[in-house]
Amino acid sequence: MNRIKRATLSIITTTSLGIGAAQAAVVIWDNDSSNNSWQTATNWDPDGVPAFNDDITIGNGDAVTHTPASDLQINGGGSLTISGGSSWTQTTTHWTQIVDGTMTLDNGTFTRSSGGNLVLAFNANDNGVINATNSSINLGGELWFGHNLVSNTGNQVAQVTLNNSTIDANGTVGIWFWDTDATDTSMSINVIGAGSTIEARVGRRNTGGSDNTVTWETLWNEGILQYNGGNDGSFSDHFITSGTAGTVGYTLTSIPEPSSAALLGLAGLALVMRYRRYGD
């Protein structure tokens, strides 16, 4: 009798802790069919086209093509990692929505070749994140932080972190920030160190109306654009721009911090002095 009770108690406790509950599957690209198509079931391990709440990895250097028949989402805490020189190209205008999940690019490339938008945090309470290191994001359409159907309802997180990476967005307004003054909404582009570039017209809409000629300096002053996770110093300490806000070719480039540049200058001066000394 006691054994039965202990067994029953063990089952109840395990269930209440969530142990054994369904979790996202880990799915790895292997391209067994050699056709580079996302939709081919045998190109994945285990076999089967992944769901977008899975943890998906493309890391063998292949150029993967995807022709979705409808908008697709990374949702339910799912993740997509593109690494090792791999690329993922979507060839239709259906949107990509990172609703509740993360896209990680590590020496990888994500391309939307036929327009359509990449949207972070589509609805209220969503959390959409992109982390890119030594990578490229190429958009025939636009990159949206938030979504216009969520007018000031708030509680969205839309974040991009760039480390020696590029974004090239060629839509009507390449990067669009929606409802930046909504309650508890967090939108940010965090640039780590020098060497990252963003080429895009920038716009936003909030309770003050719409503006498709937003400058990067304005976003820096508002804390949306960050350098190494913060806003220390001035905009010109960390970034330079070229082109004109609201036009094609408006580009942001991250540069070395002043202290780093000064140290490099001192090191160069010391080297010159050393050569002169030995030359004498």
Side-chain angles (χ1 to χ4, degrees), residues 9-112:
L9 178 60
S10 176
I11 293 170
I12 292 172
T13 302
T14 301
T15 304
S16 66
L17 291 174
I19 298 173
Q23 296 181 354
V26 175
V27 184
I28 309 296
W29 171 265
D30 59 21
N31 199 25
D32 276 354
S33 76
S34 300
N35 69 358
N36 287 355
S37 173
W38 178 288
Q39 287 99 329
T40 301
T42 55
N43 284 342
W44 300 96
D45 182 16
D47 286 351
V49 178
F52 274 89
N53 63 344
D54 289 337
D55 293 322
I56 306 165
T57 298
I58 303 171
N60 63 352
D62 283 342
V64 179
T65 58
H66 190 188
T67 309
S70 60
D71 292 349
L72 57 89
Q73 296 183 342
I74 298 175
N75 205 346
S79 67
L80 171 62
T81 299
I82 305 169
S83 62
S86 304
S87 64
W88 178 41
T89 299
Q90 288 183 239
T91 59
T92 69
T93 58
H94 296 296
W95 291 12
T96 304
Q97 303 164 13
I98 305 179
V99 175
D100 179 23
T102 302
M103 178 188 291
T104 299
L105 300 167
D106 187 358
N107 188 24
T109 301
F110 171 60
T111 300
R112 293 190 52 89

Side-chain angles (χ1 to χ4, degrees), residues 122-196:
F122 194 82
N123 296 307
N125 304 309
D126 284 347
N127 188 333
V129 176
I130 295 176
N131 298 313
T133 301
N134 302 321
S135 297
S136 299
I137 299 171
N138 307 305
L139 305 176
E142 301 175 351
L143 170 59
W144 285 12
F145 287 70
H147 182 246
N148 61 325
L149 297 180
V150 196
S151 180
N152 294 299
T153 56
N155 299 306
Q156 292 176 299
V157 175
Q159 297 176 340
V160 172
T161 298
L162 300 178
N163 186 345
N164 194 38
S165 296
T166 63
I167 296 176
D168 189 353
N170 294 308
T172 303
V173 179
I175 297 178
W176 194 263
F177 294 90
W178 293 98
D179 300 322
T180 55
D181 57 353
T183 303
D184 294 326
T185 287
S186 174
M187 298 182 182
S188 65
I189 297 180
N190 178 29
V191 180
I192 306 298
S196 291

